[in-house]
Amino acid sequence: MYKVYFKNETSNYILNYFENYRKYYEKLFEDSWIWSENQIINSYIDESLNRYNELKGLIVKTLKDENIFWRKNDYSIIISWRTKYIFINFHEDNDLKERFVVNISIR
């Protein structure tokens, strides 16, 4: 089993992705005159946190395995997540059993 680490840039990319998701729905329902406006906005805030944790958990679960069969020679993989594809580039240190996510793209 490998330990999986995220570079600051990749962590910030994931945080920004879900922050933009949250902000989109906050603005969509802001001043909408719906009586449960705050409840709807809070549910999207909670959902963005859940999706963030789900995505990071999926990446760690995938990269911690000893063998990643579908990886390319250049240490990149593509993971399917919900309706999106996650493109990941990583480096690994076989001696320390560590993998570092150096680049990520959600499409």
Side-chain angles (χ1 to χ4, degrees), residues 9-58:
E9 296 84 15
T10 57
S11 290
N12 289 336
Y13 178 87
I14 297 171
L15 283 172
N16 288 334
Y17 182 83
F18 290 110
E19 185 176 336
N20 289 334
Y21 170 87
R22 177 186 53 79
K23 285 180 181 179
Y24 172 80
Y25 285 104
E26 281 181 353
K27 288 186 181 199
L28 183 66
F29 289 102
E30 188 176 79
D31 295 330
S32 63
W33 292 83
I34 298 175
W35 66 271
S36 59
E37 178 181 295
N38 286 335
Q39 184 179 5
I40 293 169
I41 290 172
N42 286 335
S43 70
Y44 278 107
I45 291 171
D46 292 341
E47 182 62 22
S48 71
L49 293 172
N50 290 339
R51 287 180 181 221
Y52 171 79
N53 291 330
E54 179 184 339
L55 180 62
K56 286 206 61 168
L58 176 65

Side-chain angles (χ1 to χ4, degrees), residues 32-85:
S32 63
W33 292 83
I34 298 175
W35 66 271
S36 59
E37 178 181 295
N38 286 335
Q39 184 179 5
I40 293 169
I41 290 172
N42 286 335
S43 70
Y44 278 107
I45 291 171
D46 292 341
E47 182 62 22
S48 71
L49 293 172
N50 290 339
R51 287 180 181 221
Y52 171 79
N53 291 330
E54 179 184 339
L55 180 62
K56 286 206 61 168
L58 176 65
I59 293 169
V60 168
K61 179 183 169 196
T62 303
L63 290 178
K64 76 178 183 177
D65 291 337
E66 195 73 32
N67 293 318
I68 303 173
F69 295 114
W70 59 88
R71 82 173 178 192
K72 299 178 184 176
N73 290 335
D74 61 349
Y75 294 102
S76 65
I77 60 171
I78 301 170
I79 302 173
S80 176
W81 175 70
R82 295 187 178 216
T83 60
K84 307 283 185 196
Y85 289 103

Side-chain angles (χ1 to χ4, degrees), residues 7 9-10 13 86-90 100-105:
K7 287 194 139 207
E9 296 84 15
T10 57
Y13 178 87
I86 315 301
F87 296 83
I88 299 172
N89 294 326
F90 64 95
F100 299 90
V101 179
V102 295
N103 192 8
I104 188 168
S105 177

